[in-house]
Amino acid sequence: MLSGRQYLVRDKRLAGFVGALLILLPAGQAGWYRRTTYPFVPWDMYGSSTPPQTYQEYLIRDDAGPVYHYPFGHVAFSSPRAFMRRLDQLVRGCRCTAGDPLVDAVVEALVSIHRDRTGRTITQFKVYDVQIATGSRESGPRTLLYIWRASAELRHDQP
Amino acid sequence: MTSHRGWQRGTRQHASAIRMVVLGIWMVIVANTPYESYARLPTDVIAGRGLGRLLFGGDALKSFFFSYPVLTTLKWSAIVGCLLAMVYPNRLRWLTPVACVCVLVLDLITKSVNGITNHAQLGPLFVLVVFALFGGRRYLPIIGLRARTDTLRMPVHWGQDPGGTIDSGYASVVWLAGLMLIIPYTYIALNRLLEGGMEVFLGNALPDSITLNSRLHAAYAFTVFLGWIQIPWLAAFLKVGFLVTTLFELCSAGVLFSQRFRVIWLAVIGSFHFITLFSMNIFFWENLMLIVVIFGWGIWNMDRTPSRITAAYT
């Protein structure tokens, strides 16, 4: 900041910009409800001493046969994990393991995107909650949170 | 570009390089994100955040912005806008703010379908805003393309130095772009220290985060650190490294004052970004590119006698 004072003195527009940032950024940082303050949000990264002890797996089965992770990079190139979090919120919000109209609609959108990108049709989409065991190479216990199966109509609707 | 003066910090060439990199970053992000596919998502999933709540607040607006033609138009406008703004920085100088608006709306769309509002891409967004607001009135050469011709064509009022390299007008833009990167690193460190305290570094928070992020599905799929954190001395070393990195993040403003600190800071923060890639499959390649072009530019010139303006900048 100090080394930039000469620019701030010369250019009032620049000074106004920096001044606004100096108010808005700490305000966003201190804001309780970050949904209202974006793009001024808390810059948190590994700031919690108690990180989550579970993570989610989104496993699919398609024409290729074996079960594998849904490639969320196809949907959200820059923030696939943030998109996965949204799906997790929807699955937890429905309090059911299958048949929720909203979750099914999102999964069907993901299925159609996958078909466009790979040419393969997903027949099964499962969401698991997996516990971590720190420092272990093995994954912990898994709990099935949600399952979606393609209807016969969708299965036959292949490109 | 051929003269060593072109590699001095705060020059037109430096500002132009940062501008090219940030426009390139956004072009890659936008081109690789299938925005047109978002038209298939049910609108109930979309939750605008911050400025996005104004754009996607009502059902009608949500349906408009998340329709296939609008998403496709925004995407291609941003890509073409970034590309043309890179190639014609002076002839089409009005294009950078336009590209910036398209990118901002697309970023709000991305955030509105995400489950969390994180700080990813905020650094590149703020740097682009700097060039949209403050880069327009200043002459900028095209790096590696027609740089010599552009220098000859430069109108007198666009630069005070006919030599074509040092101008305090560019130094202020470069300084501001640097500030846009320093702020996130400083806030991240502050947040970590105030929210988590020393427990973040002393307890199992780091091994837990490494375990969780190594297992969570990602495009990179590195798992090598799952084994390494089982080795006690290596786990302790990583925790010390985490604390050192946090302290460097906290002191990021030092890069504006000291060239020597800047070299060490670049080494520490650069290493940090690669370690998070291999340990947690998280790679802020955009930030890495920006810190290299903003703070690494001309770093090998540190033994040369700086000009008056460059000295003031550093």
Side-chain angles (χ1 to χ4, degrees):
Chain A
M1 278 302 299
L2 293 174
S3 73
R5 65 183 181 277
Q6 58 188 319
Y7 311 131
L8 300 177
V9 170
R10 278 183 213 159
D11 190 336
K12 286 192 168 48
R13 208 160 57 107
L14 189 139
F17 180 77
V18 173
L21 280 180
L22 284 177
I23 295 167
L24 291 171
L25 285 169
Q29 185 80 11
W32 286 98
Y33 190 46
R34 63 180 69 180
R35 273 192 59 192
T36 60
T37 58
Y38 184 83
F40 305 104
V41 291
W43 304 83
D44 56 339
M45 197 172 187
Y46 317 120
S48 170
S49 56
T50 53
Q53 295 298 305
T54 61
Y55 65 95
Q56 287 69 47
E57 281 182 346
Y58 304 88
L59 300 177
I60 56 169
R61 187 189 294 277
D62 63 13
D63 298 341
V67 170
Y68 64 100
H69 290 277
Y70 184 88
F72 280 94
H74 287 179
V75 185
F77 169 74
S78 56
S79 51
R81 286 176 170 182
F83 190 92
M84 287 156 71
R85 186 73 70 86
R86 182 76 182 122
L87 194 50
D88 178 50
Q89 289 166 355
L90 293 172
V91 166
R92 286 177 195 281
C94 83
R95 298 177 187 277
C96 58
T97 53
D100 181 73
L102 183 58
V103 178
D104 282 357
V106 175
V107 172
E108 279 158 19
L110 296 176
V111 168
S112 68
I113 292 166
H114 183 74
R115 192 170 50 208
D116 286 354
R117 299 290 289 248
T118 65
R120 296 196 295 266
T121 304
I122 296 173
T123 54
Q124 187 176 283
F125 192 111
K126 286 182 175 177
V127 183
Y128 285 99
D129 201 40
V130 188
Q131 282 193 343
I132 64 162
T134 302
S136 170
R137 285 177 176 276
E138 306 301 321
S139 53
R142 303 157 94 217
T143 311
L144 181 67
L145 290 181
Y146 198 86
I147 184 165
W148 173 92
R149 286 194 180 91
S151 63
E153 185 186 329
L154 196 68
R155 262 180 247 164
H156 288 107
D157 182 27
Q158 292 183 20
Chain B
M1 284 297 293
T2 50
S3 158
H4 80 270
R5 293 182 72 197
W7 292 101
Q8 284 183 4
R9 300 176 54 72
T11 59
R12 278 203 306 272
Q13 285 86 348
H14 190 192
S16 193
I18 299 167
R19 186 177 167 283
M20 294 272 279
V21 167
V22 77
L23 285 166
I25 284 170
W26 279 111
M27 208 169 70
V28 169
I29 291 173
V30 173
N32 282 287
T33 305
Y35 286 107
E36 60 279 4
S37 303
Y38 292 178
R40 298 179 197 176
L41 291 170
T43 50
D44 289 344
V45 178
I46 298 151
R49 294 169 195 281
L51 291 175
R53 296 181 95 190
L54 300 174
L55 284 182
F56 320 129
D59 284 344
L61 282 172
K62 212 187 272 187
S63 299
F64 171 76
F65 277 104
F66 281 81
S67 62
Y68 184 85
V70 173
L71 288 166
T72 308
T73 305
L74 277 170
K75 177 176 176 168
W76 283 103
S77 300
I79 293 171
V80 174
C82 287
L83 183 66
L84 291 177
M86 287 164 81
V87 178
Y88 301 108
N90 303 300
R91 196 184 305 167
L92 300 178
R93 67 176 68 87
W94 53 271
L95 205 52
T96 309
V98 174
C100 182
V101 169
C102 291
V103 162
L104 178 63
V105 174
L106 288 172
D107 187 55
L108 290 170
I109 285 171
T110 303
K111 295 293 187 283
S112 71
V113 296
N114 284 347
I116 47 171
T117 307
N118 57 9
H119 59 266
Q121 286 85 45
L122 280 181
L125 184 64
F126 284 143
V127 173
L128 184 60
V129 168
V130 164
F131 279 92
L133 289 178
F134 300 101
R137 290 184 191 164
R138 300 170 172 88
Y139 170 85
L140 286 166
I142 305 167
I143 296 293
L145 296 168
R146 299 170 51 226
R148 189 179 171 83
T149 317
D150 280 353
T151 303
L152 293 174
R153 284 180 186 169
M154 182 181 69
V156 175
H157 66 273
W158 271 347
Q160 285 78 47
D161 176 18
T165 52
I166 298 171
D167 183 329
S168 61
Y170 310 113
S172 66
V173 176
V174 172
W175 173 80
L176 196 54
L179 195 65
M180 294 302 101
L181 277 191
I182 286 168
I183 287 170
Y185 284 105
T186 310
Y187 273 122
I188 284 170
L190 264 177
N191 185 293
R192 191 177 296 147
L193 289 167
L194 293 176
E195 195 176 306
M198 286 306 287
E199 187 59 29
V200 172
F201 310 103
L202 299 173
N204 268 339
L206 183 65
D208 280 356
S209 292
I210 289 174
T211 305
L212 188 123
N213 284 294
S214 293
R215 293 208 169 281
L216 194 60
H217 177 65
Y220 306 110
F222 291 112
T223 55
V224 62
F225 272 74
L226 277 178
W228 288 3
I229 56 172
Q230 293 179 78
I231 304 167
W233 67 266
L234 200 51
F237 181 76
L238 284 170
K239 287 179 187 177
V240 172
F242 189 34
L243 176 62
V244 170
T245 304
T246 303
L247 294 176
F248 267 88
E249 285 178 322
L250 189 67
C251 302
S252 293
V255 300
L256 293 176
F257 304 103
S258 163
Q259 278 193 324
R260 292 196 191 284
F261 180 79
R262 192 182 306 142
V263 175
I264 301 166
W265 187 89
L266 273 170
V268 171
I269 299 299
S271 306
F272 162 72
H273 279 299
F274 279 106
I275 289 170
T276 57
L277 167 62
F278 295 117
S279 63
M280 303 190 192
N281 294 309
I282 294 170
F283 190 43
F284 285 108
W285 58 273
E286 309 97 325
N287 278 22
L288 195 60
M289 287 183 75
L290 283 172
I291 64 169
V292 167
V293 74
I294 292 175
F295 300 122
W297 183 270
I299 209 154
W300 49 87
N301 277 343
M302 60 192 298
D303 293 333
R304 296 180 195 275
T305 307
S307 72
R308 187 169 54 82
I309 291 168
T310 313
Y313 172 74
T314 57

